[in-house]
Amino acid sequence: MKNILTENFIVKNLRAFPVLRRRFKTYVKGIDRIPDGFTERKLFYDYIKVRRNNPEKRVSMSEYTIFGFHSLPVEEQKKFLTDTEATLLMRPYNAESEPYLKDKVAFLKNFSEYVSRDWLYVPEATPEQFVDFVRRNGSVALKPQLSSWGIGFKKMTAEDLEQVEDFDAFYQNLIDKKYLAEQFIQSDPALARFHPESLNTLRVITFRNGERFQVFGCGLRVGNKGLHVDNAHGGGIFCEIDPETGIIITDGLDEHGNYYERHPMTGVKFKGEQIPYWDEVIDLCRRASTTLPCLKVVGWDVAILPGGKLELIEGNHNPGMNIVQAPAKHGVHDKFANLLIDFYGYPEPNETAAI
C-alpha cells in the first residue's frame, strides 16, 4: 500500500518548494533585467503558478524565462513545447535510433562519411596512443561518451598535457568516465567571427520517412565569455534561422532570457546575417538522414570548417525545441505533434506519447 504522506501530489509539491526556491535564486542571478512589474520574489511565485497551470509540461526555470511565460495567458503557454513534452512525443518514434545517436563513439563509426576530424576512444587506447594523439593534433576536445549539453567537455592542448602532475590518475579518470578525444576543430571565419574561442554550430531539425524529407527548424549556436562550448547550457547564445534561406531571423538569446542584438564580446550582429553554404548544409542533413533506416526525427549539429568544408558533429535523437521557439517567441507544440502524425502515423497503443 502506498504511503499517502509520501505519494500525495500536494505533499510532493510542498517538499519540492524549498528546493525550487533555492534553484530559482541561483538561476535568476543570470537574468540581466527582471521583467517590468516583477520582483525576484514575485517572478518566482509566478513561475510556480505556471508550473501548476501546466503540469503536463514540467516547465523548467529556463523555459519559463526564455518563452516569456510571465507575460502570457495560459492558452498561449500551451502552444509552447517543453523538453519534457518533446521527449514524450518523440519517444515512440525515435527509441530505435537512440543507441546510434546518443553514443558518440557509435555515431562517429556510423556517420564516418560526414566526419573528417581525428578521434580516439580513450578506454580502447593505450596511454602512449593518447599522448601521441594529443601531440599530433595540438589541441583536442575531451567529451564523455554519453554526455549532452556540453557537460564534462574539456579542451586540452599538448602544453596542458605536459603539465599534468599525475598522468596515471588523470588517464584512469578518462577511462573510468569513458571519454572520447576528438581533434579540436575551428569554424570557418564566417561563423568564427561571432565568437572565435568556440566551435559555433548549426542545429538543423529534420523529419524523414523513406524518400520524404522535411526541415522542421534551424538555429545557430555560438559560444560566449571565452568558453569553448556553444551550448546554451554552457553559457552560449542561440538564434533562429530561416530554413529556406539560411538567414538569421532573430536576435541572440541565452538560457536566462537575455537578448543580444550583437554578440557581447565581438559586436557581431545576429539578425539578418546570411549563413554561408546553406544549400550544402541542408543537403548534408538530407543525406545523413538516410544513413540508417531507423532515423526519423533528428537534430543535426553541423560545423562549417575553414574553406567551406562541412563537418557533422553529432545527431540528437531527442532534440530540444527551444532554438526554434524562444528567440522569436512562437510555440510549435501543435505544429510538431501534427507533423509527427503526418509523417509516421499514431504511435502503437503500448507506446507512451503525449500527442
Side-chain angles (χ1 to χ4, degrees), residues 41 50 57 84 108-109 119 131 148 187 195 277-278 306 317:
R41 178 181 177 85
V50 167
K57 290 185 174 296
T84 293
L108 289 168
K109 291 178 178 179
W119 63 274
V131 170
S148 57
S187 296
H195 185 259
Y277 311 104
W278 187 247
H317 75 284

Side-chain angles (χ1 to χ4, degrees), residues 107-108 117 143 185 199 201 301-303 311-315:
F107 176 84
L108 289 168
R117 62 191 183 278
K143 311 172 183 177
I185 53 180
L199 177 67
T201 61
D301 290 342
V302 181
E311 180 84 358
L312 198 55
I313 303 303
E314 63 182 31

Side-chain angles (χ1 to χ4, degrees), residues 23-41:
R23 290 178 179 173
F24 193 85
K25 286 177 71 69
T26 299
Y27 169 77
V28 80
K29 292 177 181 178
I31 300 176
D32 290 343
R33 179 182 175 184
I34 298 293
D36 292 341
F38 285 87
T39 62
E40 178 186 318
R41 178 181 177 85

Side-chain angles (χ1 to χ4, degrees), residues 234-339:
I237 298 171
F238 58 98
C239 47
E240 189 173 354
I241 297 172
D242 178 0
E244 295 295 327
T245 65
I247 295 175
I248 299 174
I249 56 176
T250 69
D251 291 332
L253 184 70
D254 67 21
E255 71 165 349
H256 290 92
N258 303 309
Y259 271 96
Y260 304 91
E261 181 181 346
R262 298 176 180 274
H263 195 286
M265 295 188 68
T266 60
V268 177
K269 187 179 180 180
F270 290 106
K271 189 175 181 179
E273 293 297 303
Q274 172 73 59
I275 302 298
Y277 311 104
W278 187 247
D279 289 344
E280 292 85 350
V281 169
I282 298 302
D283 184 62
L284 171 69
C285 295
R286 186 194 312 274
R287 289 184 287 115
S289 71
T290 66
T291 303
L292 299 168
C294 61
L295 299 178
K296 293 181 177 177
V297 182
V298 181
W300 305 102
D301 290 342
V302 181
I304 302 177
L305 307 185
K309 180 177 177 57
L310 301 184
E311 180 84 358
L312 198 55
I313 303 303
E314 63 182 31
N316 299 273
H317 75 284
N318 188 25
M321 298 297 153
N322 292 352
I323 201 167
V324 296
Q325 297 184 103
K329 298 293 185 290
H330 55 98
V332 301
H333 182 284
D334 291 351
K335 177 184 176 182
F336 187 79
N338 291 333
L339 199 59

